[in-house]
């Protein structure tokens, strides 16, 4: 069985998520984070942590539930819309 490669950006996003949820995150980056305990308050905390970590400000137009529903979607948003590369 092959282990999927995890980018540095995915690792940072997963770490920030773990901090917000106060537990380790699953390496399946397609899992719906709402089912993992990411409610509205924790989502705001997660977004703020990402903004501080990457020194960015996420635009209001990008603050959509679907953009923060999986680690892969968060990573895609950060890399495509904000030029975050790790």
């Amino acid at each position: 069985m092959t282990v999927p490669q995890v980018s540095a950006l995915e690792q940072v996003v997963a770490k920030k998520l773990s901090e917000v949820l106060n537990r380790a995150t699953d390496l399946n980056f397609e899992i719906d984070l709402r089912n993992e305990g990411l409610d509205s308050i924790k989502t705001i905390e997660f977004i703020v942590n990402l903004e501080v970590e990457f020194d960015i400000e996420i635009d209001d137009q990008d603050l959509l539930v679907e953009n923060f529903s999986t680690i892969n979607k968060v990573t895609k948003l950060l890399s495509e819309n904000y030029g975050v590369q790790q």
Side-chain angles (χ1 to χ4, degrees):
M1 177 165 77
T2 61
V3 176
Q5 293 287 34
V6 178
S7 74
L9 178 56
E10 289 170 323
Q11 289 176 357
V12 172
V13 170
K15 180 180 179 234
K16 292 297 169 187
L17 179 63
S18 293
E19 291 170 4
V20 169
L21 296 177
N22 293 317
R23 63 180 172 82
T25 56
D26 192 327
L27 286 181
N28 180 346
F29 293 162
E30 285 297 323
I31 288 178
D32 189 326
L33 300 177
R34 295 166 290 188
N35 294 335
E36 297 297 310
L38 193 67
D39 60 19
S40 58
I41 300 298
K42 289 180 182 174
T43 299
I44 292 168
E45 184 180 349
F46 182 44
I47 291 167
V48 170
N49 287 348
L50 293 172
E51 289 177 328
V52 169
E53 176 72 24
F54 298 115
D55 193 28
I56 60 173
E57 185 175 326
I58 297 175
D59 294 330
D60 290 346
Q61 68 189 22
D62 291 328
L63 298 175
L64 304 171
V65 171
E66 53 267 12
N67 286 339
F68 296 91
S69 61
T70 69
I71 291 175
N72 281 342
K73 288 181 181 180
V74 173
T75 302
K76 181 178 178 183
L77 174 74
L78 293 174
S79 63
E80 291 182 1
N81 293 23
Y82 299 93
V84 175
Q85 301 297 320
Q86 294 263 330

